[in-house]
Amino acid sequence: MLDPVQLRSFMAVAEAGSFTAAARGLGLGQSTVSQHVARLEAAAGRRLIDRDTHHLSLTTDGEAMLGFARAMLAVEDRARAHFAARELHGRLRFGASEDFVTSRLGRVLESFVRDHPAIDLEITVALSGTLHRMLDDGLLDLVLAKRRLGRPRGRPVHREPLIWAARSPDIADPARPLPLIAFPPPSITRAAAIDALDRAGRAWRIVCTSGSLSGLKAAADAGLGVMVQPRSMRPHGLVELEGGPGLPALEEVEFIIEDVSVRRPPDSPEARAARILTEALVVGGIWRNG
């Protein structure tokens, strides 16, 4: 009974408050919009709009029709989006390392979900070592993680140095063991920090261990110790302890992307979705704080 084209014209008139403005917004002639509304009124068997030369208002039935129009057109839009994305219909299990909590990753994922609504995106945030194991066990389809230089895993997409970060440089007193705030083993940043300190002969002690970046930052904000992060992902509120007394230089790390494309047909939904998200991650500027 209700034609979506007529409903759109009616809704445009109701929201614009005039046939002229509605026609302009729809890119149609005013007479065409008037015909759409007249046919909708005929189909409904009710007058929907009261109008004279200077004023336009909805009747009671017009107010009811406006609500129905909005609901029906919203359903139509969802249906169009669903079937337009049918080539990417499926599930993508994506894993990201804790480092990206403060990055622009959320914006990239938001755009991916908006552009591909028929993909069910499942996200796991964990340590890089955990993500690699999950990928090996078939529990993830795509992983964005980091690795120490020279390791063979994944496709490297970015490289940068690790840094020491703390609330204040005063925490790195060379006369005392360096208080470390770190992820639990097998954390890459933890291992890199300990290796550097041991090579430099600098005493250290672990004062806080947390599996989440928010937990580490809370400890650092409280002034408990020093944490290690990639330079571009230094948490807000912490300062880089560059060249501090007794603090050795830290190594660089690589960020890598690894997926299941070698184990899945290249035209499978998972493999195709992984390629699209991989491209978005590479160009999405996620190497800067969000």
Side-chain angles (χ1 to χ4, degrees), residues 27 102 110 124 168 234:
T102 60
E110 179 184 13
T124 298
S168 167
R234 170 175 54 85

Side-chain angles (χ1 to χ4, degrees), residues 83-144:
F83 290 107
R86 62 186 179 278
E87 293 185 355
L88 276 178
H89 190 288
R91 179 178 62 158
L92 180 63
R93 301 167 300 173
F94 171 64
S97 79
E98 278 281 342
D99 307 87
F100 291 98
V101 169
T102 60
S103 77
R104 298 173 185 262
L105 175 62
R107 300 181 190 181
V108 174
L109 296 180
E110 179 184 13
S111 296
F112 177 83
V113 171
R114 183 181 60 248
D115 294 341
H116 305 286
I119 287 289
D120 294 326
L121 182 64
E122 298 178 3
I123 303 172
T124 298
V125 178
L127 299 181
S128 294
T130 301
L131 296 175
H132 290 314
R133 287 197 298 269
M134 293 179 68
L135 189 73
D136 292 340
D137 292 340
L139 300 177
L140 292 174
D141 302 308
L142 177 69
V143 161
L144 174 63

